[in-house]
Amino acid sequence: MQAIKRFSEPCIAQLQAEIQDAHGNEVFALGFLDKKGLVATIEVSARGREDKVLAVDTRLETADVFIHNHPSGLLIPSDADLAIAAQAAQVGVGCFIVDNQVEQVYVVTEPIKKQIHKKLNASAIMAALEGGGAIAKKLPAYEHRHSQLELMRLIIQGFNDDALVAAEAGTGVGKSFAYLLPALTYALTNDERMVISTATITLQQQLYEKDIPLVASAIENREKKGKKLKVVLIKGRGHYLCRRRLEEALQEQGLLVDGEYEDLHAIRAWTETTKTGSRSDLSFMPKEGLWSRICAEADCCMGMRCPEREACFVLALRKASADARILVVNHHLLFADLAARHEGAGYSHTVVLPPYSRIILDEAHTLEGAATAFFSQNFSRLGINRHLGRLYRHTRGGTPLGFLRTLAALVSAEPRLEALEAAIGLIRDTADTLDRSALELCRTEGVFRLTPSRERSIQAVLVPQFTALRGHLLTFTGRIREMLDQLDPQDEDTAVDWEVRAILRRLDTIGTICTAFIEFQDRTAEVLWIERHFSSSTSPSKGPWAVFTVSPIDVAPSLKDALFEPHKTVICLSATLTVADSFAYWNARCGLSLVRERPVLTGQFPSPFPYSSSVLLAIPKDAPLPDQDPYQAFVDQASLALVQCAGGSALLLFTSYEALRSAYTAAVPVLESEGIRCLKQGDDDRNRLLKTFLEDEQSVLFATDSFWEGVDAPGDTLRLVVLCRLPFRSPHEPVFEARCEALQKQGANPFMELSLPESVMKFKQGFGRLMRRSSDHGVVVVLDGRVLWKRYGPYFLRSLPKTRTSFQDFKTILRHIEQFLYP
């Protein structure tokens, strides 16, 4: 092809001069297209020899095409040319080869025309939520909300300016519609993929099944161009069934315990009707151990080699996601994708998710916790035993089962099974010994953190046992890998091969965690700790067990590098992102404060709910402080009196299960005799417990930690919320303690910069359980006098909306509550 068809004349002259200056050797240049599609300007980034040039790709993504010359005049791409062309094509950059005279050009790959960023029209979009607008018409109980429109204006600016946004939207603002309208409009207008991430699957489902279809229909009708917006809900692979693993589990009846065989047959029948293969679609909840053996875990996936690939639920989901413009995910799945991309997978092709450049994070107050959980690693003896059992075990009748038996038969290595069984026994015994030693160290507080001050006991007790366990695992996995290496080619990439390798990788990870514990003094960026866990079963044989965990101390740099910096727009929303009207705490913990040279927008959007007339905030000034002996007795008595006064319809939130149990035990006989049903966290599955609470308007729910947020009980179901104690984290919680120490080393005040703001944000979440609709009416009681008597108390009060208040003695408060609820 003649070069004049692809280059402007001035550009040809410039490229000729560059080649001449390089004495006719190879030149590597970045080319930029004009409006006519011709290469109008170039930037030379490297010069080489007659037969080779260094392909510098530092700024490759900024160009439209990369160009280099072949001095020989033969414009045939070499293998190296094709490799760099393939890399460039992933980001839409073309590849041209020219002769030294720039008379001829060979187009290896065409450049993809860069998309024009079409900015959003704020007035047009916001009109949809005004009275009579496209969205307002579809809502049966539409209310004009000024704060919702202002939030939407900020989000639109975030998209138009390629900015990072942190927005606090109080309960009732309607933040979902405020971000969905701009997000879906932008995706449809610019044909660009976007990720919406939530902290919970419940919110994922609500967005996908209810909110997004409503907004999408309004936008598609407004556009009137026949455009349809494809939306896909994606959960982690562990939520989906693997058909191949299900069939294999059914064939290994000896590995099943009571009830599992029936569950597997019920699941197999369900596969004939389910469209998604998602566990949440099942009519029953299979046990975790059973589901882990049949779910579509990534390291057990055989990909294109799988005999069930044509009916694979995950593969079908991937295909659906490929051309979707809105992906609804959860934070854990998003972090899995971000981590892989940041570690080298790149941002231009599918990794865990298809590529995207804009993200909305709902429930962003959980961001640091979700990142910490994702980047943590742990193991226990129960996990080790589960992995080993899948490799080799005996039925009660003595029949050997497991993948090793099949593998040994394939490589004619049955005589080795006895030695492998002995090695398994040695690993189990070592893990049991380590578990007992760890439980002894956790005896006092239930948790043991590895610190330099405990080096003597760690070196004497733990290090030798971690070293032994790591050594036994290394020897054992090495022997199995020797067997895998002996597989005939036709037996490679079979189910047994993949399953065994997956288990070996998990055992390798346990060995890596052992190394971290052995080298704990060198792991200054991590916290290593042991926690005692108890079985929910009443069987005494289960007993407690230890969980060994490695967690990052500071996730802010990782969030900055993997989340905020690579993406054009990141919008973070929650009802609780500020402390005393400042975003400083959340920005610091989540890495936003580390971002430089990017526009960062923040905004607070207060709830439109009538808190000043509909909510009474009561704090008894005669309550003992939590560190005083009568405090728990006071909480027990006050909890009972408050619920009696309200007539039930109450949520009591505690910071420890011991305090919860004490108050529950004191209240149950009296309340149930009065017809008030008492529910307690731990007595049933969380979702079923909430369902029961919502269905019985007079019931009372005693709960702790996880119920401080995510409880939506509008109307008469909830008239009273009791916050029994300020939700300060235990100073001995390992990750929290390590973060406090890190702040102290930096010369900061851990209480003011971590402990207090974290507690205030959780306090706001607890307070927010009461008002869920503008018509709600009720009381929030705080039984912790520190709010009134400590210097930091105003931080809590200033973070709440204006309400009616009663800061009197407890008897007076009871009278005020009765007058407020039953005027």
Side-chain angles (χ1 to χ4, degrees), residues 156-445:
I156 291 170
Q157 185 182 352
F159 281 116
N160 287 343
D161 296 350
D162 288 347
L164 307 175
V165 178
E168 181 178 75
T171 306
V173 165
K175 69 179 187 300
S176 295
F177 286 147
Y179 68 70
L180 286 176
L181 261 169
L184 271 60
T185 302
Y186 191 91
L188 195 64
T189 303
N190 289 283
D191 193 28
E192 189 173 323
R193 185 180 291 109
M194 195 171 305
V195 168
I196 299 174
S197 181
T198 75
T200 62
I201 290 176
T202 301
L203 183 53
Q204 264 188 283
Q205 297 279 164
Q206 177 187 317
L207 290 171
Y208 180 72
E209 296 172 1
K210 180 182 175 184
D211 296 345
I212 291 177
L214 191 154
V215 174
S217 66
I219 292 173
E220 290 164 356
N221 291 338
R222 187 184 68 205
E223 291 290 325
K224 296 179 181 179
K225 296 176 183 177
K227 289 185 178 180
K228 291 292 182 181
L229 195 66
K230 187 172 181 180
V231 182
V232 174
L233 172 72
I234 309 177
K235 304 171 189 175
R237 292 185 62 121
H239 289 274
Y240 299 97
L241 177 73
C242 173
R243 293 179 184 270
R244 173 186 64 79
R245 301 185 81 202
L246 171 64
E247 292 306 315
E248 288 169 2
L250 282 165
Q251 293 169 19
E252 295 185 336
Q253 298 182 35
L255 286 172
L256 304 176
V257 298
D258 294 342
E260 289 186 342
Y261 189 71
E262 291 75 14
D263 284 353
L264 286 178
H265 274 281
I267 292 170
R268 179 196 259 173
W270 167 74
T271 63
E272 300 301 320
T273 58
T274 179
K275 295 180 179 179
T276 67
S278 173
R279 178 169 57 171
S280 62
D281 293 347
L282 275 166
S283 59
F284 65 97
M285 188 61 65
K287 291 181 180 178
E288 192 62 38
L290 177 63
W291 183 257
S292 69
R293 285 165 51 196
I294 60 174
C295 67
E297 293 176 320
D299 59 357
C300 294
C301 179
M302 295 178 65
M304 297 307 293
R305 303 173 187 86
C306 180
E308 299 285 348
R309 64 183 178 275
E310 295 300 324
C312 175
F313 295 114
V314 172
L315 188 58
L317 184 63
R318 281 205 162 204
K319 289 178 180 177
S321 304
D323 61 345
R325 285 298 168 259
I326 300 292
L327 306 178
V328 184
V329 306
N330 57 58
H331 294 344
H332 188 87
L333 185 65
L334 175 64
F335 287 138
D337 185 75
L338 293 175
R341 294 183 186 281
H342 181 59
E343 289 167 6
Y347 293 86
S348 59
H349 58 278
T350 297
V351 183
V352 178
L353 302 172
Y356 50 89
S357 59
R358 302 181 196 273
I359 304 170
I360 293 175
L361 288 150
D362 203 342
E363 301 174 309
H365 64 280
T366 65
L367 199 56
E368 183 186 25
T372 301
F374 176 79
F375 291 110
S376 295
Q377 292 183 307
N378 63 61
F379 79 89
S380 69
R381 67 172 171 83
L382 299 186
I384 291 176
N385 289 340
R386 185 167 58 251
H387 296 321
L388 295 176
R390 293 187 62 210
L391 288 173
Y392 193 80
R393 61 172 288 183
H394 289 278
T395 64
R396 292 174 183 173
T399 303
L401 293 169
F403 294 118
L404 286 187
R405 182 176 63 89
T406 307
L407 176 62
L410 289 173
V411 297
S412 302
E414 288 89 341
R416 301 187 203 177
L417 287 176
E418 187 175 345
L420 288 173
E421 185 177 8
I424 287 173
L426 187 58
I427 293 171
R428 290 184 190 274
D429 291 344
T430 307
D432 287 345
T433 302
L434 174 61
D435 187 73
R436 286 192 297 272
S437 299
L439 289 173
E440 184 65 25
L441 293 172
C442 295
R443 184 174 53 181
T444 305
E445 297 176 350

Side-chain angles (χ1 to χ4, degrees), residues 624 626 628-640 659 662-663 666 783:
Q628 295 174 338
D629 288 338
Y631 176 71
Q632 186 58 52
F634 168 76
V635 170
D636 294 350
Q637 296 164 11
S639 299
L640 172 59
S662 176
L783 297 179

